[in-house]
PDB file of all heavy atoms in Angstrom:
ATOM      1  N   VAL A 764     -14.937   4.428   3.281  1.00  0.00           N
ATOM      2  CA  VAL A 764     -15.474   4.988   4.531  1.00  0.00           C
ATOM      3  C   VAL A 764     -14.268   5.493   5.322  1.00  0.00           C
ATOM      4  O   VAL A 764     -13.405   4.698   5.678  1.00  0.00           O
ATOM      5  CB  VAL A 764     -16.211   3.888   5.336  1.00  0.00           C
ATOM      6  CG1 VAL A 764     -16.660   4.428   6.680  1.00  0.00           C
ATOM      7  CG2 VAL A 764     -17.381   3.326   4.540  1.00  0.00           C
ATOM      8  N   ARG A 765     -14.200   6.787   5.619  1.00  0.00           N
ATOM      9  CA  ARG A 765     -12.981   7.251   6.298  1.00  0.00           C
ATOM     10  C   ARG A 765     -12.753   6.469   7.582  1.00  0.00           C
ATOM     11  O   ARG A 765     -11.749   5.783   7.734  1.00  0.00           O
ATOM     12  CB  ARG A 765     -13.072   8.734   6.630  1.00  0.00           C
ATOM     13  CG  ARG A 765     -11.798   9.155   7.315  1.00  0.00           C
ATOM     14  CD  ARG A 765     -11.606  10.574   7.635  1.00  0.00           C
ATOM     15  NE  ARG A 765     -10.174  10.779   7.578  1.00  0.00           N
ATOM     16  CZ  ARG A 765      -9.559  11.566   6.739  1.00  0.00           C
ATOM     17  NH1 ARG A 765     -10.220  12.319   5.917  1.00  0.00           N
ATOM     18  NH2 ARG A 765      -8.237  11.632   6.737  1.00  0.00           N
ATOM     19  N   PHE A 766     -13.693   6.571   8.508  1.00  0.00           N
ATOM     20  CA  PHE A 766     -13.773   5.692   9.672  1.00  0.00           C
ATOM     21  C   PHE A 766     -15.147   5.898  10.299  1.00  0.00           C
ATOM     22  O   PHE A 766     -15.848   6.861   9.961  1.00  0.00           O
ATOM     23  CB  PHE A 766     -12.608   5.840  10.642  1.00  0.00           C
ATOM     24  CG  PHE A 766     -12.438   7.117  11.418  1.00  0.00           C
ATOM     25  CD1 PHE A 766     -11.730   7.108  12.628  1.00  0.00           C
ATOM     26  CD2 PHE A 766     -12.931   8.344  10.976  1.00  0.00           C
ATOM     27  CE1 PHE A 766     -11.532   8.264  13.358  1.00  0.00           C
ATOM     28  CE2 PHE A 766     -12.733   9.508  11.705  1.00  0.00           C
ATOM     29  CZ  PHE A 766     -12.034   9.469  12.894  1.00  0.00           C
ATOM     30  N   ALA A 767     -15.527   4.980  11.163  1.00  0.00           N
ATOM     31  CA  ALA A 767     -16.905   4.980  11.664  1.00  0.00           C
ATOM     32  C   ALA A 767     -17.350   6.342  12.213  1.00  0.00           C
ATOM     33  O   ALA A 767     -18.481   6.758  11.967  1.00  0.00           O
ATOM     34  CB  ALA A 767     -17.067   3.877  12.705  1.00  0.00           C
ATOM     35  N   PRO A 768     -16.491   7.084  12.951  1.00  0.00           N
ATOM     36  CA  PRO A 768     -16.989   8.336  13.535  1.00  0.00           C
ATOM     37  C   PRO A 768     -17.417   9.387  12.526  1.00  0.00           C
ATOM     38  O   PRO A 768     -18.239  10.240  12.861  1.00  0.00           O
ATOM     39  CB  PRO A 768     -15.787   8.840  14.355  1.00  0.00           C
ATOM     40  CG  PRO A 768     -15.005   7.624  14.673  1.00  0.00           C
ATOM     41  CD  PRO A 768     -15.157   6.732  13.471  1.00  0.00           C
ATOM     42  N   THR A 769     -16.887   9.364  11.305  1.00  0.00           N
ATOM     43  CA  THR A 769     -17.228  10.430  10.355  1.00  0.00           C
ATOM     44  C   THR A 769     -18.307  10.018   9.357  1.00  0.00           C
ATOM     45  O   THR A 769     -18.532  10.724   8.376  1.00  0.00           O
ATOM     46  CB  THR A 769     -15.979  10.938   9.601  1.00  0.00           C
ATOM     47  OG1 THR A 769     -15.213   9.813   9.167  1.00  0.00           O
ATOM     48  CG2 THR A 769     -15.137  11.848  10.466  1.00  0.00           C
ATOM     49  N   SER A 770     -18.976   8.895   9.599  1.00  0.00           N
ATOM     50  CA  SER A 770     -20.121   8.520   8.761  1.00  0.00           C
ATOM     51  C   SER A 770     -21.327   8.252   9.657  1.00  0.00           C
ATOM     52  O   SER A 770     -21.221   7.540  10.669  1.00  0.00           O
ATOM     53  CB  SER A 770     -19.824   7.267   7.933  1.00  0.00           C
ATOM     54  OG  SER A 770     -18.985   7.563   6.836  1.00  0.00           O
ATOM     55  N   THR A 771     -22.481   8.776   9.244  1.00  0.00           N
ATOM     56  CA  THR A 771     -23.724   8.443   9.952  1.00  0.00           C
ATOM     57  C   THR A 771     -24.073   6.985   9.682  1.00  0.00           C
ATOM     58  O   THR A 771     -23.608   6.399   8.682  1.00  0.00           O
ATOM     59  CB  THR A 771     -24.879   9.320   9.435  1.00  0.00           C
ATOM     60  OG1 THR A 771     -24.981   9.120   8.011  1.00  0.00           O
ATOM     61  CG2 THR A 771     -24.653  10.796   9.735  1.00  0.00           C
ATOM     62  N   PRO A 772     -24.923   6.396  10.528  1.00  0.00           N
ATOM     63  CA  PRO A 772     -25.377   5.027  10.236  1.00  0.00           C
ATOM     64  C   PRO A 772     -25.996   4.929   8.839  1.00  0.00           C
ATOM     65  O   PRO A 772     -25.806   3.922   8.152  1.00  0.00           O
ATOM     66  CB  PRO A 772     -26.409   4.760  11.337  1.00  0.00           C
ATOM     67  CG  PRO A 772     -25.967   5.630  12.481  1.00  0.00           C
ATOM     68  CD  PRO A 772     -25.401   6.879  11.851  1.00  0.00           C
ATOM     69  N   GLU A 773     -26.675   5.983   8.402  1.00  0.00           N
ATOM     70  CA  GLU A 773     -27.292   5.953   7.056  1.00  0.00           C
ATOM     71  C   GLU A 773     -26.211   5.882   5.979  1.00  0.00           C
ATOM     72  O   GLU A 773     -26.350   5.183   4.978  1.00  0.00           O
ATOM     73  CB  GLU A 773     -28.151   7.201   6.839  1.00  0.00           C
ATOM     74  CG  GLU A 773     -29.375   7.309   7.729  1.00  0.00           C
ATOM     75  CD  GLU A 773     -29.033   7.647   9.186  1.00  0.00           C
ATOM     76  OE1 GLU A 773     -28.027   8.355   9.437  1.00  0.00           O
ATOM     77  OE2 GLU A 773     -29.755   7.188  10.089  1.00  0.00           O
ATOM     78  N   GLN A 774     -25.142   6.618   6.179  1.00  0.00           N
ATOM     79  CA  GLN A 774     -24.078   6.571   5.165  1.00  0.00           C
ATOM     80  C   GLN A 774     -23.377   5.215   5.169  1.00  0.00           C
ATOM     81  O   GLN A 774     -23.031   4.683   4.102  1.00  0.00           O
ATOM     82  CB  GLN A 774     -23.061   7.702   5.380  1.00  0.00           C
ATOM     83  CG  GLN A 774     -22.110   7.802   4.195  1.00  0.00           C
ATOM     84  CD  GLN A 774     -21.202   9.005   4.254  1.00  0.00           C
ATOM     85  OE1 GLN A 774     -20.406   9.144   5.180  1.00  0.00           O
ATOM     86  NE2 GLN A 774     -21.285   9.880   3.263  1.00  0.00           N
ATOM     87  N   LEU A 775     -23.177   4.648   6.342  1.00  0.00           N
ATOM     88  CA  LEU A 775     -22.576   3.305   6.403  1.00  0.00           C
ATOM     89  C   LEU A 775     -23.466   2.292   5.689  1.00  0.00           C
ATOM     90  O   LEU A 775     -22.962   1.400   4.985  1.00  0.00           O
ATOM     91  CB  LEU A 775     -22.349   2.893   7.859  1.00  0.00           C
ATOM     92  CG  LEU A 775     -21.298   3.708   8.622  1.00  0.00           C
ATOM     93  CD1 LEU A 775     -21.310   3.329  10.103  1.00  0.00           C
ATOM     94  CD2 LEU A 775     -19.903   3.495   8.043  1.00  0.00           C
TER      95      LEU A 775
END
Side-chain angles (χ1 to χ4, degrees):
V764 175
R765 180 175 210 117
F766 67 156
T769 45
S770 284
T771 57
E773 294 73 31
Q774 190 172 62
L775 293 172

